[in-house]
Amino acid sequence: MATIHVDGRSYSVDGADNLLHACLSLGLDIPYFCWHPAMGSVGACRQCAVKQYKDADDDKGMLVMSCMAPVQDDARISIDDEEAREFRASVVEWLMINHPHDCPVCEEGGHCHLQDMTVMTGHDRRRYRFRKRTHRNQYLGPFIAHEMNRCITCYRCVRFYNDYAGGSDLGAFGANYNVYFGRYQEGTLENEFSGNLTEVCPTGVFTDQTHSDRYTRKWDLQFAPGICHQCAVGCNISPGERYGEIRRIENRYHGEVNRYFLCDRGRFGYGYVNRKDRPIEPEWRGEPEADAVALDVNAALDRGSDALRDAYRIIGIGSPRASLESNHQLRELVGEGNFSTGIAAEEQACLELMAELNRTCGLPTPSLWDVEKHDAILVLGEDLIQSAARLGLSVRQAVLGRQGALAEDRGIPVWNAEAVKTLAQDRGYPLFLAYPVATGLDGIAEDSLRLAPDDIARLGHAVAHRIDASAPDVPEPDDRLVRAAERIASALMAAERPLVVSGGSLNSTAILNAAGNIARALSRRARQGGLTLVRREANSTGLQLLGGQTLEWALEQLEAGQADALVVLENDLYQRLPGLCVRHALARARTLIVLDHQRTPTLEQATLALPAASFAEADGTLVSLEGRAQRFFQVYDPGYIRPETRIRESWRWLHALAAGLRREKVADVTLDLVTRDCARRYPVLAGMVAAAPGADYRVQGVKLAREPHRYSGRTSMRANISVSEPRTSQDPDTPFAFSMEGYNGFDRPRQSVAFAWAPGWNSPQAWNKFTDEVGGHLRAGDPGVRLLEPSPGDWVYSSHIPPAYRRPAGEWCIVVLPRLFGGEETSARAEPIQARAGQAVAVLGPEDAAALKISEGGHVRVIAGEGSWILPVRVEAGCPAGLLCIPEGVDPALLGGMSVSLAVSGDQPLDGPGVAGEVHP
């Protein structure tokens, strides 16, 4: 720690910081542009100038850039010094020389860091009267819009995109006062984190293209704290709504999880909430082929309850994309013995094994922030950029962490970004990858092995044996496997904090057992390591903790005539099992009740379809892959702008159905009641109550505001419905108000922050006002509570080691690979994601391509049990012979592990959003 004196007042700060970081952490305002808390300092903009004095007797001092000035004990600086103020004002003035006067039409207006800093410096007059420099904009894909004329040359964009996120197709071109930030030619930005440019850029150069079509100023958006539902990482988000539509999603700061950045699927995949074909009122279909008839709520509940009472047994199918509260209410409706998780058997076996490993392997599961502090990483059977992108970004930062360690050894501050980068060059901590095809992290890996799933498991077991000889060894290993295992084991043992990452992407319990053995071996050797296991969906971890039978079990009960009624919760069964199997089972149900917010093939077969709320219209709790229970809150009431809608939270529908089934009056139910009941019924979930404050939480005696104080137009938003403004919707479930009336400041610490705003700070940089220090934690503590903690390691090694992969003669084994864009059910319904996904392709190795006499871009016919599919082919060097790698989202009938025949096809596949396959029954 160090003591610094700022404008005559003394403060205690971290001596490792620079002056800008230290002052901002103290709540003092210094304008800046090029500095970013996640990327350090480069001193490019000269905006953060302050006056620094040698000692108490120095009355002249000198101007320094606070982002490049280290904290020194007894340092004396002045932010308010007149010379420093004049210098900062002059910097803004010349930065604004070529900036257009377009705030009224700029999409960054009211959300702009440049506006904030310009006002902060007092610059309000333009003296420049000459011709401005102009640039031509580029098309950068469906996510990002480009307006280069607003650029102030802070270099933040390329520093994030290239250095932090690992992109290679965005650069700085030109020199001096004429620098252009863009691609070498027009085209879609390829990096999976490109959307963060909209928040990293302090001006309106890079803006949210998905927001442009239905644009709304930040102050006219209604927000709520949300949790991303597009994968299992659990990133915190701030969805913004206007006129009953989600208009944009911004990053919501969480010191242990996503911090400042989101992946592009999480940021741009919200379009399914706004689809016009969503079910908005209950629908009754008396006969399988009959047209659906719309019902009011009471009539729908009466018919649904009557139908369930007539059934001799009801099966409930839950969903890993629904909240704990909704799954719990379904289980209460049908009974514990009649509840299925809605997850296929292979995937559920992986989930159960992962939960066991998290409890018993002896190593903790690190948060994303902790992941970045590990110094050797082994990834078994996961392409993290595709299956858990934000985790992949953290793994990248862990590898780059060696740059900071090298700098510290030489006395270079880690915040001095360019000096650290120059010193380190391409050196990083060791990262080892084992996967069938190339991954998004290959460029920074020490070694990347292309292996079949069973061979990945064998590699893992071999590594565990070399760490601890009491772990079982692999029978008949080949030389390549032995050499790789020795190299990986040596790196993990030499590290202070090794990390093992695996998961269920390849649906292989063998790989998970191998990862568990490595974790046990490291734990036994007293290494301070970690084990991270990737799940597939937003609540996969929570649903496994809740418990239940597999999806196959549920369908078998129907097929065998042991049940005649089925209630399906937010789950399209056709996305999980082959369609023929699902159709046969559903045809046996006399009553099929489906709750969903999307019009899926399962919902289209429902006797009664109930319109469920999406994440934007509901409250609930999810459990992330690290075992962190987190609460998401309703952003808006769908019935306020569209009174014809009858959308309700699934847990509210199920509560009413259960009351009707028992012929009881429907009692009032709130989120707090359902959450507490769920926690009481399942001891492993007891901590979920503390995931967020209850509905009675108040700050200064008032609820929390969902809307900024400047929110406008409320009296006219429903003018087409009624000229008299009704009372705003009341929310008994949360501490938030559906209005601007309420607390939205930063001076009272709180975990539940709907949007970041502070006086003078309208941009995302306002998060610095809510944290205990810049880049630290929210001052009231980061939201959520950990439910999964390891017990002392049992060190009982798994001995289930598969034989080496041998290709069946004349057949290929299908491997289904996760896909960031187009592979997840709900985001794949969003048009920007569909445009970004492009056409799905099958991957073959060169040996197989040569045997089939097929070249890159050719087409192959996949012949399996239910029919055949025609897919374009990509030939990838290193892909193991005998494997056909198919991306997620093509067709659930193509199951991983199944053997198929292949034939060269001259036919062209059908083009579709994220899908390229033609089924021939």
Side-chain angles (χ1 to χ4, degrees):
M1 300 298 288
T3 299
I4 62 173
H5 311 279
V6 184
D7 288 316
R9 299 187 63 181
S10 299
Y11 302 92
S12 180
V13 298
D14 188 341
D17 292 337
N18 57 51
L19 286 175
L20 176 61
H21 187 287
C23 289
L24 291 174
S25 294
L26 294 170
L28 306 174
D29 288 345
I30 299 178
Y32 63 89
F33 288 120
C34 64
W35 177 83
H36 189 281
M39 297 184 288
S41 307
V42 292
C45 71
R46 326 304 291 169
Q47 182 62 78
C48 62
V50 297
K51 180 70 72 70
Q52 185 167 13
Y53 302 93
K54 294 179 182 179
D55 50 41
D57 297 326
D58 182 6
D59 59 358
K60 290 186 178 181
M62 63 180 292
L63 289 176
V64 299
M65 302 307 121
S66 58
C67 75
M68 298 300 293
V71 166
Q72 297 174 336
D73 195 31
D74 207 32
R76 298 175 182 274
I77 67 170
S78 173
I79 300 172
D80 291 332
D81 175 80
E82 187 61 30
E83 184 183 3
R85 292 169 66 91
E86 289 179 0
F87 182 87
R88 294 196 296 264
S90 68
V91 169
V92 165
E93 184 172 23
W94 60 257
L95 285 176
M96 297 291 285
I97 280 177
N98 289 298
H99 193 85
H101 298 202
D102 68 342
C103 291
V105 298
C106 176
E107 294 187 16
E108 202 71 3
H111 190 226
C112 178
H113 185 61
L114 176 61
Q115 283 181 332
D116 291 344
M117 300 301 97
T118 304
V119 171
M120 189 178 294
T121 57
H123 174 63
D124 60 1
R125 294 288 185 276
R126 299 280 183 106
R127 293 185 292 172
Y128 185 76
R129 293 291 182 268
F130 305 98
R131 184 171 182 172
K132 291 179 179 289
R133 176 202 63 211
T134 57
H135 293 292
R136 182 173 180 173
N137 302 321
Q138 291 182 323
Y139 170 77
L140 298 178
F143 296 158
I144 303 295
H146 191 224
E147 179 48 80
M148 251 309 294
N149 293 315
R150 298 170 182 150
C151 182
I152 59 169
T153 323
C154 71
Y155 287 89
R156 266 196 192 180
C157 57
V158 290
R159 290 178 58 218
F160 167 77
Y161 195 88
N162 299 334
D163 300 341
Y164 195 95
S168 59
D169 60 320
L170 181 75
F173 304 91
N176 299 326
Y177 61 86
N178 190 25
V179 179
Y180 188 93
F181 295 92
R183 286 172 52 90
Y184 69 97
Q185 64 179 20
E186 279 194 343
T188 300
L189 289 171
E190 297 170 0
N191 190 269
E192 295 82 2
F193 305 95
S194 64
N196 293 291
L197 293 174
T198 64
E199 295 186 20
V200 166
C201 176
T203 74
V205 175
F206 300 100
T207 55
D208 185 339
Q209 183 68 45
T210 69
H211 184 206
S212 300
D213 296 335
R214 301 281 286 166
Y215 181 75
T216 303
R217 296 290 179 194
K218 178 179 180 177
W219 63 73
D220 282 338
L221 290 172
Q222 182 168 241
F223 297 92
I227 304 298
C228 181
H229 279 53
Q230 268 52 81
C231 80
V233 172
C235 293
N236 286 222
I237 58 174
S238 287
E241 171 269 347
R242 183 76 168 180
Y243 285 108
E245 294 179 342
I246 294 297
R247 297 295 176 86
R248 74 179 300 171
I249 284 180
E250 300 174 15
N251 182 73
R252 182 164 64 92
Y253 186 87
H254 190 296
E256 288 292 333
V257 188
N258 48 290
R259 294 168 64 78
Y260 294 98
F261 306 119
L262 298 174
C263 79
D264 284 356
R265 181 163 81 184
R267 186 181 293 273
F268 302 117
Y270 61 84
Y272 63 92
V273 176
N274 301 333
R275 285 179 67 100
K276 302 304 181 186
D277 62 348
R278 279 187 60 184
I280 62 171
E281 55 188 350
E283 297 173 2
W284 175 264
R285 189 177 285 103
E287 297 295 332
E289 302 301 325
D291 292 335
V293 177
L295 299 177
D296 203 353
V297 171
N298 291 333
L301 291 173
D302 288 343
R303 290 201 189 187
S305 300
D306 290 343
L308 293 179
R309 275 196 302 273
D310 288 343
Y312 57 83
R313 187 184 180 200
I314 310 167
I315 297 293
I317 296 181
S319 171
R321 62 175 167 92
S323 67
L324 284 177
E325 288 83 357
S326 294
N327 279 289
H328 163 66
Q329 286 294 84
L330 176 58
R331 187 162 171 165
E332 291 294 290
L333 171 68
V334 302
E336 182 178 344
N338 300 318
F339 178 75
S340 163
T341 60
I343 299 173
E346 260 193 342
E347 183 180 352
Q348 184 147 320
C350 290
L351 290 172
E352 290 169 354
L353 180 55
M354 284 189 271
E356 179 188 346
L357 292 174
N358 284 136
R359 285 191 295 265
T360 64
C361 74
L363 293 184
T365 299
S367 67
L368 291 192
W369 178 229
D370 287 332
V371 165
E372 299 184 14
K373 302 169 188 174
H374 287 266
D375 55 355
I377 302 174
L378 169 62
V379 182
L380 287 177
E382 291 288 334
D383 180 355
L384 294 178
I385 299 300
Q386 300 299 319
S387 62
R390 187 57 187 80
L391 172 60
L393 187 63
S394 288
V395 167
R396 175 177 169 78
Q397 304 322 306
V399 173
L400 299 180
R402 190 181 180 203
Q403 298 180 352
L406 291 170
E408 286 183 335
D409 289 344
R410 289 160 177 77
I412 299 174
V414 293
W415 47 259
N416 194 337
E418 282 303 308
V420 171
K421 180 182 172 183
T422 301
L423 168 68
Q425 299 297 314
D426 294 326
R427 288 178 287 182
Y429 284 128
L431 168 65
F432 300 93
L433 307 170
Y435 198 66
V437 297
T439 79
L441 294 175
D442 283 1
I444 57 170
E446 185 167 312
D447 197 1
S448 181
L449 299 123
R450 308 281 193 272
L451 299 171
D454 284 349
D455 291 337
I456 294 173
R458 288 168 62 82
L459 172 67
H461 284 290
V463 170
H465 177 74
R466 279 149 185 80
I467 294 173
D468 181 4
S470 64
D473 199 3
V474 175
E476 302 178 3
D478 58 40
D479 291 342
R480 181 190 178 203
L481 184 143
V482 170
R483 289 194 300 272
E486 289 175 348
R487 190 165 60 252
I488 294 168
S490 297
L492 294 178
M493 287 299 295
E496 293 183 9
R497 298 195 67 194
L499 175 65
V500 180
V501 182
S502 189
S505 291
L506 299 180
N507 271 349
S508 171
T509 54
I511 293 176
L512 291 170
N513 278 319
N517 274 12
I518 299 172
R520 291 186 178 100
L522 290 171
S523 175
R524 194 170 186 179
R525 297 292 291 269
R527 287 296 183 271
Q528 300 300 308
L531 173 67
T532 294
L533 299 173
V534 176
R535 280 78 163 178
R536 179 181 166 201
E537 293 177 79
N539 206 19
S540 293
T541 309
L543 188 53
Q544 190 282 322
L545 295 175
L546 195 73
Q549 300 288 340
T550 66
L551 177 56
E552 288 89 340
W553 169 88
L555 299 186
E556 287 167 4
Q557 300 300 300
L558 292 171
E559 288 271 16
Q562 296 180 15
D564 62 339
L566 188 64
V567 182
V568 180
L569 167 66
E570 298 182 36
N571 199 336
D572 183 12
L573 309 187
Y574 290 91
Q575 292 290 322
R576 301 186 182 275
L577 290 176
L580 191 61
C581 166
V582 175
R583 281 194 299 274
H584 283 169
L586 295 186
R588 300 297 300 272
R590 286 197 304 151
T591 298
L592 173 60
I593 298 178
V594 179
L595 302 87
D596 211 331
H597 48 78
Q598 300 299 306
R599 197 167 291 281
T600 67
T602 303
L603 184 134
E604 293 289 0
Q605 289 184 243
T607 311
L608 176 63
L610 297 175
S614 69
F615 77 91
E617 302 134 350
D619 312 294
T621 307
L622 304 175
V623 183
S624 70
L625 60 81
E626 63 163 299
R628 186 185 299 270
Q630 299 185 101
R631 190 79 33 81
F632 62 94
F633 294 96
Q634 183 178 3
V635 184
Y636 63 98
D637 176 6
Y640 185 73
I641 296 296
R642 297 186 175 90
E644 71 277 8
T645 64
R646 298 293 181 266
I647 293 172
R648 303 286 189 274
E649 297 98 329
S650 290
W651 51 264
R652 208 179 292 276
W653 280 121
L654 292 165
H655 169 78
L657 280 175
L661 182 62
R662 297 189 297 265
R663 297 185 185 275
E664 297 174 355
K665 181 181 178 182
V666 180
D668 289 339
V669 64
T670 63
L671 178 69
D672 285 350
L673 287 174
V674 178
T675 302
R676 284 196 295 267
D677 189 52
C678 183
R680 178 181 58 81
R681 289 295 303 272
Y682 313 103
V684 70
L685 298 176
M688 66 181 285
V689 175
D696 58 350
Y697 177 80
R698 300 290 185 273
V699 174
Q700 296 178 322
V702 299
K703 297 191 82 168
L704 306 178
R706 280 182 169 93
E707 301 166 359
H709 284 318
R710 298 165 293 173
Y711 192 90
S712 62
R714 191 173 73 189
T715 56
S716 62
M717 290 178 71
R718 297 178 85 257
N720 62 316
I721 302 170
S722 172
V723 294
S724 59
E725 181 191 358
R727 184 187 186 194
T728 57
S729 302
Q730 301 303 295
D731 187 356
D733 298 311
T734 77
F736 287 90
F738 286 110
S739 69
M740 70 182 84
E741 287 78 30
Y743 180 79
N744 66 4
F746 68 93
D747 55 326
R748 297 289 192 276
R750 55 195 168 99
Q751 289 184 330
S752 299
V753 183
F755 57 91
W757 174 87
W761 296 83
N762 296 278
S763 77
Q765 301 298 305
W767 283 113
N768 294 339
K769 295 292 187 179
F770 291 83
T771 54
D772 54 5
E773 62 172 326
V774 172
H777 303 273
L778 294 181
R779 282 191 284 148
D782 295 316
V785 59
R786 289 287 291 265
L787 301 181
L788 284 178
E789 296 294 347
S791 56
D794 58 11
W795 297 325
V796 177
Y797 291 110
S798 169
S799 58
H800 299 294
I801 303 176
Y805 174 70
R806 295 290 182 266
R807 158 194 188 161
E811 292 188 339
W812 282 259
C813 179
I814 285 186
V815 178
V816 179
L817 304 179
R819 181 164 57 140
L820 185 66
F821 304 121
E824 189 273 328
E825 178 188 351
T826 54
S827 64
R829 292 172 171 265
E831 290 183 5
I833 297 293
Q834 293 170 359
R836 179 67 173 83
Q839 194 177 56
V841 297
V843 178
L844 283 172
E847 181 181 330
D848 291 332
L852 289 167
K853 298 181 180 178
I854 188 171
S855 58
E856 183 85 17
H859 296 87
V860 66
R861 183 185 296 273
V862 182
I863 305 165
E866 284 197 12
S868 65
W869 296 257
I870 300 173
L871 295 167
V873 170
R874 185 177 84 243
V875 180
E876 183 172 307
C879 180
L883 298 187
L884 175 67
C885 299
I886 303 289
E888 245 179 357
V890 170
D891 195 312
L894 290 170
L895 299 175
M898 72 187 298
S899 294
V900 296
S901 300
L902 299 182
V904 179
S905 174
D907 299 326
Q908 296 295 315
L910 295 177
D911 289 331
V915 177
E918 182 178 352
V919 181
H920 303 273

